[in-house]
Amino acid sequence: MNKPMLRREFLIAAGAGAAAAPISSGHVSAMPNAPEVSQTGNRARLLVGCCAYSYLRYFSAGSMTMESFIQKAVELGVHGVDITTYWLKSTEPEYLASLRHVAFKNGMSFSGIAIRTELCQAGGAIRAEEGRRMQRWIDACELLGASHVRVFGGSLPEGAAEKQGLEWVVEAMKPACEYAAKRGITLGMENHGGITARASMILEIIRRIDSPYAGINLDISNFEGKTDEEMYSDIEACVPFATHAHIRDVFGTTKRPIDLDRAWKLFAQGGYKGYMSAEYEGEEDSMTGVPKLLEKIRSLCRKYSSA
């Protein structure tokens, strides 16, 4: 597996309009017609956020609702909450409007919503249904007053080539982004294993979608590089296209600690403006583990942000 191209090298290559190199996982190829990098060169604005997923055990047990999660976020002093939609009571307009009102009355913003998708599908009918699901969640996002939907690319089917899988994902995402654009909503594809396990592939997907309403929901713990250096390099390459960020303090595959200060420097250098949303998955109980992670996030946001 080749070492990913550093962000500065990637941007130079993309800006020069070099011919596209063959797709290969683990290498950030030069990308002609790369998405506009409007953030780079601007001062970062890093906001403290929290994902509902951080309280997985409590939601699963039925002891936390989305309303009580919003209240918890107020207690924790975060700027915005990321609504993991698995635990919404309903998607009926009346319920979504009531949840929006609860957030407003508590001075809490929605940094976005997170949904499951499996876009890397061989069957055209299945991809079409995934597209319709995204549209329904885009409508729900609009009703909530949020502006960002997290999606997954999915896993490459056995026997399928990466190039084919990439085309399937782009085919599903293009009309979804067009639909979202009419509502001012951005779709952020998360680096979540499968087709998006390395920066090279997710960046190529975003390049081919070619929409200002497509970006990366950048999870700093999720890349599958062989070394920590490869994972930091992948983070760096993706920061200019990040539309939302999920933060844990250990790498998912190796369980080694993440140097959060180093990660924040990459976001700051890339001029990222958005939420650094805690997605806690540690062994410690969420009620004590989440505040500890948020304190690290809050301290680093103060250090590196103009917010």
Side-chain angles (χ1 to χ4, degrees):
M1 186 176 288
N2 296 327
K3 181 179 179 181
M5 185 183 291
L6 294 177
R7 179 178 64 87
R8 60 182 177 273
E9 296 168 341
F10 163 74
L11 294 176
I12 291 169
I23 299 168
S24 100
S25 53
H27 180 75
V28 181
S29 308
M31 297 184 184
N33 305 315
E36 181 183 355
V37 185
S38 59
Q39 299 166 332
T40 302
N42 298 326
R43 186 164 182 185
R45 187 166 188 267
L46 309 174
L47 303 172
V48 182
C50 187
C51 301
Y53 193 84
S54 295
Y55 293 93
L56 166 66
R57 296 170 190 169
Y58 288 87
F59 277 108
S60 298
S63 57
M64 179 174 277
T65 64
M66 209 57 72
E67 289 84 354
S68 63
F69 167 63
I70 290 171
Q71 294 286 348
K72 174 59 69 176
V74 172
E75 294 172 17
L76 293 168
V78 306
H79 295 119
V81 290
D82 182 17
I83 300 300
T84 315
T85 56
Y86 318 153
W87 301 297
L88 283 175
K89 292 177 184 175
S90 168
T91 55
E92 291 299 317
E94 294 79 10
Y95 172 70
L96 296 175
S98 71
L99 192 63
R100 177 175 179 169
H101 187 64
V102 168
F104 172 74
K105 294 294 284 185
N106 284 280
M108 183 58 61
S109 297
F110 292 123
S111 66
I113 70 172
I115 68 172
R116 285 192 185 104
T117 54
E118 188 74 30
L119 305 181
C120 195
Q121 302 268 8
I126 300 175
R127 291 197 302 278
E129 178 54 34
E130 287 291 278
R132 288 189 288 271
R133 285 189 65 253
M134 284 192 285
Q135 289 186 4
R136 290 194 292 271
W137 280 114
I138 289 165
D139 291 341
C141 185
E142 183 178 29
L143 287 168
L144 279 171
S147 298
H148 190 268
V149 180
R150 189 284 313 274
V151 300
F152 291 147
S155 298
L156 192 68
E158 186 176 352
E162 279 190 333
K163 181 179 179 180
Q164 182 64 75
L166 185 148
E167 290 171 356
W168 290 333
V169 174
V170 172
E171 179 187 317
M173 282 289 288
K174 270 183 169 290
C177 288
E178 291 171 4
Y179 187 86
K182 295 174 182 178
R183 292 150 182 81
I185 291 170
T186 297
L187 301 184
M189 179 163 290
E190 184 169 322
N191 51 307
H192 189 77
I195 195 77
T196 58
R198 296 302 307 274
S200 56
M201 291 299 289
I202 196 166
L203 287 168
E204 181 68 6
I205 288 168
I206 297 304
R207 182 191 75 80
R208 293 197 189 191
I209 294 169
D210 191 24
S211 169
Y213 292 90
I216 298 173
N217 191 94
L218 182 50
D219 188 317
I220 66 170
S221 68
N222 269 358
F223 285 116
E224 296 180 5
K226 290 182 178 179
T227 66
D228 288 358
E229 286 304 311
E230 286 186 356
M231 288 186 274
Y232 288 117
S233 184
D234 276 7
I235 293 168
E236 184 178 15
C238 289
V239 163
F241 308 102
T243 48
H244 193 269
H246 282 175
I247 305 299
R248 284 185 276 168
D249 53 8
V250 296
F251 288 115
T253 53
T254 66
K255 306 304 178 185
R256 288 194 294 269
I258 297 174
D259 182 343
L260 291 179
D261 191 83
R262 180 176 179 178
W264 251 254
K265 284 180 183 177
L266 297 177
F267 280 93
Q269 290 165 0
Y272 173 74
K273 295 177 177 63
Y275 290 91
M276 307 294 277
S277 196
E279 188 176 45
Y280 181 75
E281 289 189 284
E283 292 299 320
E284 185 177 345
D285 188 277
S286 300
M287 290 300 171
T288 54
V290 172
K292 291 176 183 177
L293 178 57
L294 281 171
E295 189 50 44
K296 295 177 185 177
I297 291 172
R298 186 174 290 108
S299 175
L300 288 164
C301 285
R302 284 196 297 262
K303 181 177 179 180
Y304 286 105
S305 177
S306 61

